[in-house]
Amino acid sequence: GASSSGGGGGGGAGAEGGGDALWQLLAWLYEQQGRPDLALSIHLRLRSPGVFAFVTSHGLQSHLLGRAAELLQVDERAALALLTAHADSLPPGNVVPCIQEALRCAPSPAAAEVWRRRLLAYLSGLFAVDSAVGADYHDLQVALTAEYEPSKLMDLLVSSQFYSLESALSICESRGLVSEQVFVLGRMGNADQALRLIIDRLGDIPRAIDFVVRQRDEELWGRLIDWALGGSETTGALLDCIGGYVDPLLLVRRIPRGMRVERLRDRLRAIIADYRTQTSLREGCNAILRSDCRHLMARLYDGTKKALPYVFVHRPGPGGEPGQWFRCDAVHGGRLTPVSTVEVPWEAQDAAQLTHGSGHGHGALPSSASMPMPPSSSSSAAAAAGARLGSRSAGSGAG
């Protein structure tokens, strides 16, 4: 070990004179001694392209903590793949500050720009692997994406739930990203301002209609129609796109008297046809839904009848006489059939005696079947016990 350290000192002078081979030899010696962690430092110092394979083969990911900037200087693409694939051993809480430190120490604005782009590339790659891992840095990712990749900002805003809406709105406003502002305002619940932004800044009737449909707010329909009816062109565009979302009669009544709208008859004919089509589709869907409900209820009822073939009902006789047992056939419409005591399970008989002895009234024991019972003070208690045993008795041949 002492000779290796001495060789390392001599190798430093050799490296300054172009003798990287001595450093490579020292790294090889460390590896042979079972100290790949020390060899890793030399590979990073030499910026060896094989450092990534070396880290993977020896499982040294945890030894890269605080050295993300060194990896990125060796091979940016390979470093990003390694850092994002091993976020458990190289957490963003360690990688991001390391890159930010390199950004602060950049010797020139151009170098700082490179590090900012590297930071964005890392956060984007991490987001693609697992959107929740780098949740603490989504605000930073939103700012960097708006600066360098504004076309990808909408996907980030839609997919993430971990950024500040106020901060994202401020960034979008400062960079004039209207579509992104509309989305953030909608997520904040400020649908009225979002619609006004679509109308005033974009002037896009189809998009405004789509936005109002997704918000499901009747007041927004009124605001959109009031704005569109302010001019003949916007009125015509509204008639072309509103389809079956609004009652045509309500829309026609609000058109200002004397306004000239091109192709008004054809547009009204199309909007009425669209409205009828959507109404017909809704009615058809409702009919299918009702039919499915009836079918599923029938299946549920049939399955319940099979699981509970019958229940036993006891009707006590007057003056303390034994009374009569009945079997209620659940499969054939709840028909009551007199049966002898021998056919009744002993659990049901015990429940009936317990109920009569304690003086409980109707419903003293909870019933496990929703079958119509004869009006008797003690029938439901025995029926409850018989219901719990009906399936077992049917299997044993009592039925």
Side-chain angles (χ1 to χ4, degrees):
S3 62
S4 298
S5 300
E16 294 175 358
D20 291 347
L22 293 177
W23 282 104
Q24 295 173 359
L25 177 59
L26 180 58
W28 180 82
L29 290 173
Y30 279 141
E31 186 177 358
Q32 296 303 311
Q33 290 179 351
R35 298 298 305 274
D37 53 328
L38 298 178
L40 174 62
S41 300
I42 297 176
H43 286 301
L44 288 174
R45 177 172 181 172
L46 297 177
R47 297 186 181 180
S48 172
V51 66
F52 302 100
F54 183 81
V55 169
T56 304
S57 61
H58 291 84
L60 299 175
Q61 288 83 4
S62 60
H63 290 79
L64 293 173
L65 292 173
R67 314 187 78 166
E70 298 178 61
L71 280 177
L72 289 168
Q73 289 177 320
V74 176
D75 187 333
E76 182 175 332
R77 179 175 298 181
L80 291 174
L82 179 64
L83 294 173
T84 56
H86 298 86
D88 51 345
S89 54
L90 295 169
N94 180 271
V95 175
V96 173
C98 183
I99 300 177
Q100 289 176 329
E101 179 63 25
L103 171 62
R104 285 190 291 269
C105 297
S108 64
E113 186 83 2
V114 171
W115 282 110
R116 287 176 63 83
R117 290 183 178 274
R118 286 174 174 172
L119 181 56
L120 173 60
Y122 168 72
L123 292 175
S124 299
L126 194 65
F127 187 85
V129 174
D130 188 346
S131 60
V133 173
D136 294 339
Y137 299 98
H138 281 196
D139 284 328
L140 176 60
Q141 186 176 353
V142 168
L144 292 174
T145 304
E147 181 178 358
Y148 296 109
E149 297 179 341
S151 61
K152 298 181 179 180
L153 180 58
M154 180 62 79
D155 293 337
L156 175 61
L157 296 175
V158 172
S159 303
S160 174
Q161 302 288 336
F162 303 104
Y163 59 88
S164 169
L165 294 175
E166 292 77 9
S167 175
L169 179 61
S170 176
I171 292 172
C172 294
E173 289 176 346
S174 64
R175 299 192 173 276
L177 303 174
V178 180
S179 299
E180 288 75 8
Q181 291 180 59
V182 171
F183 175 80
V184 174
L185 287 170
R187 178 169 282 188
M188 295 172 67
N190 197 343
D192 186 58
Q193 185 177 350
L195 178 62
R196 191 179 306 114
L197 197 63
I198 296 175
I199 293 172
D200 296 339
R201 297 284 298 277
L202 299 178
D204 191 341
I205 292 291
R207 181 166 184 173
I209 292 175
D210 181 67
F211 177 80
V212 174
V213 169
R214 286 187 283 107
Q215 295 297 318
R216 299 180 180 179
D217 188 345
E218 295 297 330
E219 294 184 0
L220 291 180
W221 279 116
R223 296 188 184 93
L224 174 60
I225 293 174
D226 290 341
W227 170 80
L229 295 180
S232 60
E233 293 184 2
T234 53
T235 301
L238 182 65
L239 292 173
D240 288 337
C241 303
I242 203 168
Y245 299 115
V246 177
D247 186 354
L249 185 59
L250 175 64
L251 181 60
V252 171
R253 285 176 176 174
R254 298 183 64 172
I255 296 178
R257 186 178 297 274
M259 175 180 287
R260 181 177 180 84
V261 180
E262 297 292 335
R263 301 183 295 106
L264 179 60
R265 183 178 60 182
D266 296 338
R267 284 168 165 166
L268 289 177
R269 184 182 301 165
I271 193 175
I272 292 173
D274 289 343
Y275 186 78
R276 287 177 177 174
T277 301
Q278 290 207 13
T279 303
S280 176
L281 287 174
R282 292 194 190 99
E283 293 176 352
C285 291
N286 290 333
I288 294 173
L289 181 60
R290 287 192 295 269
S291 176
D292 288 345
C293 288
R294 288 194 296 267
H295 176 67
L296 293 174
M297 284 296 297
R299 288 178 56 186
L300 177 62
Y301 181 64
D302 291 340
T304 305
K305 290 193 301 183
K306 293 177 181 178
L308 186 64
Y310 50 80
V311 295
F312 289 97
V313 180
H314 183 255
R315 179 177 296 169
E321 296 183 3
Q324 177 64 51
W325 279 97
F326 297 89
R327 186 177 66 191
C328 180
D329 193 344
V331 178
H332 298 93
R335 184 176 60 237
L336 290 176
T337 305
V339 295
S340 63
T341 307
V342 179
E343 300 180 58
V344 181
W346 63 267
E347 293 93 340
Q349 298 183 39
D350 289 347
Q353 293 176 4
L354 178 63
T355 304
H356 302 333
S358 60
H360 289 306
H362 182 74
L365 293 177
S367 177
S368 60
S370 300
M371 298 297 300
M373 300 299 173
S376 175
S377 62
S378 303
S379 296
S380 63
R388 291 191 292 269
L389 299 166
S391 297
R392 183 179 64 79
S393 299
S396 62

